[in-house]
Amino acid sequence: MFDSVVTKFRTVGNWLHALSVFAILFLVTTQSALASDKYIFILPSLANPYWQTVKQGIEDGGKATGVQCTVLSTVSDQAKEEALNLCQTAISQKPPIIVLCSTTNSIGLQCLREAQRSGIKVGVLDVEITVDEAKRAGVNLSFSIGTNNLEIGARAAQFVAENVKKQSPKVSVLEGVVGNTNSTQRVEGFKQGLAKKLPKAKIVSSISAEWDRLKGLNITQDTLTRNPDLDVVYAANDMMALGAVEAIRSNSSKKKDILVVGVDGVPDARKAIVSGRMTATVAQLPYLIGKRSVELAKLSVQGKCAAKTEKVPLIVLTKKVLESKTDPLLKYVR
Amino acid sequence: MSELALQSVVKMFGATTVLHGITTQFRPGTVTAIVGDNGAGKSTLCKTIAGVYHPDRGDITLGELKLTHLGPHETRLAGIEMIYQDLALAKQHDVVSNLFLGREKTRFFGWLDQPKMVEESRAVLETMGINVPILKLPVGVLSGGQQQAVAIARALLFAPKVLIMDEPTAALAAREIEHTLELIKKLRERGLIVILISHRLNDVFAVSDRIIAMRSGQIVADKLIEETSMQDVVAQIMIA
Amino acid sequence: MFAKKLLADVNFTSLLQCLVFLLLMSIVFALNSPVFVTPVNIVNILTAGSVIGLMAVGATFVIASGSIDLSTAATMGLSSVVSAWMVQNMQISGPVPLLVATAVGAACGLLTGLLINITKAPSFIITLGMMSIYRAVAFILTNGIPIYGLDEKITSIAEAQFVGLSFPSLLMLAGMVVGYLILSKTKFGAHTLLLGDSQFACEAMGVQVLKLRLAIFTLAGCFSGLAGYIFMTRTSSGDPTAGMNYELIAITAVVLGGANLFGGRATIPGTLAGILCLVVLQNGLNLMAISTFYQTLFVGLVLVLASFLRRLGPER
């Protein structure tokens, strides 16, 4: 088995392969070892452009305030247990402060509680945990910054009410991944707002397209088949809204004046709005959230900030807003 | 010891009759070879004896015991063992696991008694004069002859009265055929009824006491080895 | 001679390779992070591997028997949902949710096994179907909204420590020990491996294959159910989307540990080593704050590398 020279060569080759993998691992890790005085920010999946923008804000904020920041993230927004593991890893490094964004409150609170027990200051970013709620769960937040998802839905509903031409329009809602808090609240806020501002509106379908462009397209196609006289599509994120735009464009019926409202304000959606294919998007300002959170974190560490709640404003991006370029918040839209 | 007897055994698959009333006896301490062309009914006959198939008419008895309607598990308990051509060995497992497959020795709650099994394996391999280098080696790395020997040893652990072997030498190298034939002779000395299915007349003539030639589900010749010759058998098989 | 004999043992060399790999990886991380080799971090590593580790024990049995179970993670999610529902709506605590979660898992496994036996279809197809079905049941039960905000007592279970180890990691290690004893020391375990090696041989030698397969899937279901309970206590929620893709991670760990994906060869110590490889890799890269994109890359590299290393071992 082992006696032939050929086998020996092959063996050596395999070990070289193994060594090279470790060499890469070594190089990558030495580049980015953590120092313990760094602030740690834990974000959900960086595969989502929204969190990428938050990260960019954090990094720029770090440079502006002279604070070293590390951003950790999980593979996907759904990875709840991984988020918990990540949090425990962060705690074991004893940073001065951990700023967390978790897609689920229970995990978020659990993580914060553990961090606090280890004497680490804690803040939250873009989470539906208020300072009071956290206190009830035994966590003293230094700050909570972000936008309210219920409000996003409400703003979208308001926009629809102001811009739709009919008294009783037919509305289709595209939800995000089932069970995701962001999705639930954006949809909830929209439905409540619509009931208030446009009580005669009829929601013909409310289906999860799992944040996905293609699923948004397919579902909207089916909805259009059943309701050729659809007036409004509200999607809980821009990706699904862009899918809906494609479905409407390729739809054979003549009806093209369907309002499509998304959430987030990602570059693709802005392009679609400027070119008139999509109507509007309710944009959060993730860059501003990221940047501002670093400033708050620094104040917290210095003991100048405690139990502070800060709401970052929203902006409804329409063709008019994007082309006039007068809104001061536009500079934070990335 | 008791005789294995078949009394006008008929086996049909649907409308096709595969065995046309086979009547014959097998005596302990003899090796009987069943030869014949493909589709002559050799395998069906053996599987019927082993209880895999049930005869549509006729009777099979081992001594006083009637086997006709017994299933494969019950015929095994009655003392009939069959070694399939592919040996039915677990190739990634060691010799001991294979020898005790299906009736592992246990102490309590299914807890394996490994030392006892190793000990008994050694014993049975020794009495058969089978040389396996390391008992822990996976059966798959052993030679074809050694694998054949393990399969035979496993059958012997059941203390069978009848051993049916399907093509025991077909897949072996020339050097190993010798060993297997030696093993078969040892089985005869132990007083077993050995039934071979084989295409290789050389091997058949080297080890058998009696040859049964089959054609289209019937016995066309049944001779003691001294009474016949290879040409004779070939002729019997070939004549249409 | 003894050493040579050991090296000829495929199981042993696979385990050895995995351990060497683990060691090298640990050295790299320890050199780069001062907190890597601290008791806190080691407990973290074991805790992080607890859910997936328990699932992998079940997966080891299924893979050993020559099947694949893709429904383990869905089973885990479903039992986390059912036990969380009980905790929230029936104010039950203590060992009852644990037993319920295990029972739910066992029931799922039993059903899957039954369907495989009845249809005689490849386990891959059936479990793929059951994966969707169990997820759907969890979604329907919860209306898609995770059950959260459970009683404080539940999280305190996950945070409880005995002899320096967290409860989830202890449960995982206990599961490993039990799994090891069953697979390597009992007739049932021997039959499991033999079934994966050659179903024909088992049938020919009178092993009741259908019953055996049913028992294997039920046992694997028990372990998934137990994992669901740990998931529930750790995240203090019952989540229908719990552990997406975990079934594949579990299979990865089992194969890393030296198991034959087509059955017949698998060991629990190997699976433990495989799990540790994956968890240590993730933990180390987290400590280094390396982007998750690279983490995914490394998991892939490790698996491919392991396949290369396999070629160094004795032939099989």
Side-chain angles (χ1 to χ4, degrees):
Chain A
M1 271 180 236
F2 289 103
D3 47 2
S4 85
V5 182
V6 178
T7 318
K8 261 178 202 156
F9 268 116
R10 214 177 64 182
T11 311
V12 171
N14 284 335
W15 283 116
L16 282 179
H17 178 95
L19 274 180
S20 63
V21 169
F22 282 107
I24 300 171
L25 190 63
F26 192 82
L27 282 177
V28 172
T29 49
T30 38
Q31 296 293 313
S32 47
L34 274 186
S36 62
D37 55 341
K38 281 185 175 177
Y39 294 5
I40 294 185
F41 292 76
I42 299 178
L43 300 181
S45 169
L46 287 180
N48 181 337
Y50 181 86
W51 299 116
Q52 284 283 5
T53 317
V54 173
K55 186 183 176 203
Q56 216 180 346
I58 291 171
E59 279 164 358
D60 290 356
K63 270 176 220 146
T65 50
V67 171
Q68 285 199 305
C69 301
T70 305
V71 179
L72 300 175
S73 72
T74 50
V75 177
S76 91
D77 286 352
Q78 298 302 308
K80 293 173 189 177
E81 210 206 355
E82 282 89 333
L84 202 57
N85 295 341
L86 195 63
C87 175
Q88 285 173 341
T89 314
I91 293 170
S92 71
Q93 314 202 23
K94 303 230 178 296
I97 186 165
I98 291 179
V99 181
L100 172 82
C101 173
S102 161
T103 42
T104 23
N105 290 358
S106 54
I107 293 180
L109 285 173
Q110 198 177 329
C111 168
L112 296 173
R113 207 178 306 134
E114 278 181 42
Q116 187 172 285
R117 218 177 290 151
S118 314
I120 298 166
K121 289 213 159 86
V122 288
V124 292
L125 178 160
D126 230 357
V127 179
E128 310 299 335
I129 306 174
T130 64
V131 171
D132 291 338
E133 265 171 12
K135 192 161 259 165
R136 255 175 277 137
V139 177
N140 296 314
L141 285 181
S142 294
F143 65 87
S144 166
I145 182 170
T147 36
N148 187 324
N149 277 306
L150 280 169
E151 206 185 306
I152 292 174
R155 282 290 284 277
Q158 194 185 342
F159 178 84
V160 168
E162 285 164 4
N163 289 279
V164 80
K165 290 178 185 104
K166 282 193 209 157
Q167 274 300 304
S168 55
K170 286 193 172 177
V171 182
S172 159
V173 177
L174 295 174
E175 302 171 10
V177 167
V178 178
N180 177 284
T181 328
N182 286 340
S183 163
T184 321
Q185 295 195 332
R186 287 174 189 182
V187 172
E188 202 54 45
F190 179 77
K191 287 181 180 169
Q192 283 170 4
L194 207 60
K196 221 181 284 167
K197 306 261 160 136
L198 203 62
K200 282 184 185 160
K202 191 182 166 212
I203 294 177
V204 292
S205 80
S206 184
I207 300 172
S208 163
E210 302 179 357
W211 301 131
D212 186 84
R213 197 168 185 154
L214 186 63
K215 283 191 181 129
L217 195 164
N218 290 337
I219 290 172
T220 308
Q221 233 160 23
D222 295 345
T223 312
L224 278 171
T225 313
R226 218 179 40 175
N227 306 285
D229 53 343
L230 192 72
D231 300 296
V232 178
V233 176
Y234 167 66
N237 81 347
D238 279 342
M239 287 301 160
M240 299 189 291
L242 288 166
V245 166
E246 293 305 320
I248 293 165
R249 263 182 7 138
S250 63
N251 188 30
S252 51
S253 85
K254 280 153 212 107
K255 190 170 168 62
K256 303 283 182 195
D257 58 336
I258 300 175
L259 288 187
V260 181
V261 182
V263 175
D264 280 346
V266 300
D268 250 15
R270 297 204 303 270
K271 253 186 248 161
I273 290 169
V274 171
S275 67
R277 282 180 291 147
M278 188 167 146
T279 322
T281 177
V282 182
Q284 308 175 70
L285 300 167
Y287 181 81
L288 189 60
I289 294 173
K291 199 168 176 194
R292 189 66 192 133
S293 69
V294 180
E295 291 162 15
L296 287 177
K298 192 177 181 189
L299 290 175
S300 306
V301 172
Q302 291 168 344
K304 292 179 192 159
C305 170
K308 181 177 170 64
T309 304
E310 188 163 310
K311 284 279 165 232
V312 175
L314 295 169
I315 173 169
V316 179
L317 298 177
T318 58
K319 191 170 181 178
K320 210 171 106 192
V321 173
L322 283 169
E323 279 174 348
S324 65
K325 294 185 179 152
T326 47
D327 196 309
L329 288 173
L330 267 179
K331 70 169 184 277
Y332 296 116
V333 175
R334 298 287 156 126
Chain B
M1 293 287 272
S2 40
E3 227 179 45
L4 176 68
L6 281 73
Q7 188 63 48
S8 22
V9 170
V10 175
K11 176 67 200 166
M12 293 153 81
F13 289 127
T16 331
T17 309
V18 191
L19 299 176
H20 294 272
I22 304 282
T23 303
T24 186
Q25 295 83 34
F26 301 94
R27 265 199 305 278
T30 58
V31 177
T32 310
I34 301 179
V35 296
D37 210 355
N38 288 333
K42 303 169 300 200
S43 280
T44 311
L45 180 64
C46 290
K47 283 183 181 162
T48 310
I49 297 172
V52 178
Y53 302 142
H54 297 296
D56 292 295
R57 278 200 298 279
D59 272 323
I60 305 172
T61 52
L62 180 63
E64 300 297 304
L65 188 67
K66 199 168 159 188
L67 302 176
T68 319
H69 301 293
L70 300 184
H73 195 59
E74 295 147 318
T75 57
R76 163 169 296 151
L77 291 178
I80 295 183
E81 276 296 317
M82 177 141 181
I83 297 175
Y84 293 92
Q85 190 172 357
D86 88 334
L87 304 179
L89 293 173
K91 298 276 168 75
Q92 296 177 56
H93 279 75
D94 61 18
V95 177
V96 180
S97 307
N98 271 288
L99 286 180
F100 287 89
L101 207 179
R103 58 212 155 117
E104 288 80 0
K105 300 268 177 218
T106 53
R107 282 191 202 145
F108 47 86
F109 300 127
W111 195 266
L112 291 176
D113 192 347
Q114 201 70 32
K116 194 169 175 193
M117 287 196 284
V118 172
E119 193 184 307
E120 287 192 22
S121 305
R122 284 237 166 75
V124 71
L125 293 176
E126 217 160 275
T127 53
M128 292 299 297
I130 298 169
N131 179 26
V132 175
I134 306 174
L135 283 183
K136 281 262 136 209
L137 232 46
V139 166
V141 306
L142 300 179
S143 71
Q146 285 170 326
Q147 292 188 19
Q148 180 71 251
V150 171
I152 293 174
R154 178 169 70 184
L156 287 182
L157 273 174
F158 285 100
K161 295 175 184 138
V162 180
L163 187 59
I164 306 169
M165 302 169 87
D166 192 354
E167 297 286 359
T169 54
L172 300 186
R175 192 162 46 96
E176 293 180 330
I177 290 174
E178 202 79 3
H179 285 288
T180 305
L181 295 181
E182 281 307 309
L183 273 180
I184 294 173
K185 282 177 190 160
K186 275 186 197 156
L187 297 175
R188 171 169 55 199
E189 284 159 25
R190 289 177 147 218
L192 266 72
I193 298 172
V194 181
I195 303 175
L196 302 180
I197 301 178
S198 185
H199 271 108
R200 304 177 60 117
L201 290 181
N202 279 325
D203 303 341
V204 166
F205 273 84
V207 77
S208 315
D209 302 303
R210 173 186 166 205
I211 294 185
I212 293 176
M214 287 184 75
R215 197 169 63 232
S216 326
Q218 279 167 321
I219 295 180
V220 290
D222 184 350
K223 298 224 168 90
L224 291 176
I225 208 87
E226 301 89 16
E227 300 169 355
T228 187
S229 67
M230 249 183 248
Q231 288 82 350
D232 205 9
V233 173
V234 172
Q236 288 291 350
I237 297 170
M238 300 300 284
I239 293 166
Chain C
M1 187 58 206
F2 179 69
K4 213 172 181 181
K5 242 189 209 173
L6 262 183
L7 284 175
D9 185 345
V10 174
N11 287 333
F12 179 78
T13 43
S14 301
L15 179 63
L16 194 68
Q17 281 166 357
C18 213
L19 289 177
V20 167
F21 200 82
L22 193 59
L23 187 73
L24 286 174
M25 211 153 57
S26 305
I27 291 172
V28 170
F29 289 134
L31 285 176
N32 284 317
S33 169
V35 285
F36 181 75
V37 196
T38 52
V40 178
N41 195 49
I42 288 164
V43 171
N44 279 351
I45 288 172
L46 287 174
T47 313
S50 54
V51 169
I52 192 79
L54 278 169
M55 284 171 56
V57 176
T60 310
F61 278 87
V62 174
I63 290 174
S65 76
S67 298
I68 287 284
D69 191 353
L70 295 177
S71 67
T72 47
T75 304
M76 192 272 277
L78 181 59
S79 48
S80 88
V81 163
V82 173
S83 52
W85 185 85
M86 278 193 78
V87 170
Q88 195 173 50
N89 293 325
M90 298 164 82
Q91 313 300 332
I92 291 168
S93 54
V96 181
L98 187 148
L99 294 177
V100 169
T102 314
V104 169
C108 291
L110 186 70
L111 182 60
T112 311
L114 262 178
L115 287 172
I116 292 173
N117 278 348
I118 293 169
T119 59
K120 310 260 183 242
S123 56
F124 184 91
I125 301 296
I126 296 294
T127 56
L128 192 63
M130 296 318 282
M131 170 171 89
S132 297
I133 291 172
Y134 297 146
R135 282 271 181 232
V137 171
F139 276 126
I140 292 164
L141 285 179
T142 57
N143 226 343
I145 304 157
I147 301 170
Y148 58 86
L150 300 181
D151 195 14
E152 219 27 30
K153 276 184 210 145
I154 291 297
T155 19
S156 65
I157 294 174
E159 288 164 10
Q161 298 218 338
F162 307 93
V163 290
L165 289 170
S166 67
F167 176 71
S169 57
L170 276 175
L171 207 54
M172 186 264 283
L173 292 175
M176 289 279 175
V177 170
V178 171
Y180 168 72
L181 293 178
I182 295 178
L183 187 62
S184 306
K185 300 289 174 197
T186 68
K187 187 169 169 173
F188 171 73
H191 280 179
T192 303
L193 287 159
L194 285 159
L195 174 63
D197 199 340
S198 167
Q199 179 166 350
F200 174 69
C202 286
E203 279 166 350
M205 300 312 287
V207 176
Q208 287 178 303
V209 169
L210 296 183
K211 247 193 218 167
L212 178 62
R213 187 171 296 127
L214 215 53
I216 291 166
F217 272 89
T218 309
L219 183 69
C222 283
F223 279 109
S224 295
L226 206 54
Y229 173 77
I230 301 270
F231 188 95
M232 194 262 293
T233 58
R234 280 202 76 199
T235 63
S236 110
S237 67
D239 186 350
T241 63
M244 287 282 184
N245 294 335
Y246 274 25
E247 65 276 347
L248 295 181
I249 304 177
I251 293 170
T252 306
V254 174
V255 173
L256 263 181
N260 181 347
L261 189 56
F262 303 106
R265 195 182 62 242
T267 64
I268 297 289
T271 298
L272 178 59
I275 285 287
L276 286 179
C277 271
L278 294 178
V279 180
V280 162
L281 184 67
Q282 184 151 45
N283 173 273
L285 293 173
N286 279 344
L287 284 178
M288 309 295 141
I290 286 163
S291 152
T292 41
F293 306 148
Y294 288 100
Q295 297 196 10
T296 319
L297 172 75
F298 273 110
V299 170
L301 280 180
V302 164
L303 192 60
V304 174
L305 177 62
S307 313
F308 268 101
L309 284 176
R310 280 296 120 70
R311 288 172 40 184
L312 297 176
E315 287 185 25
R316 60 208 68 196

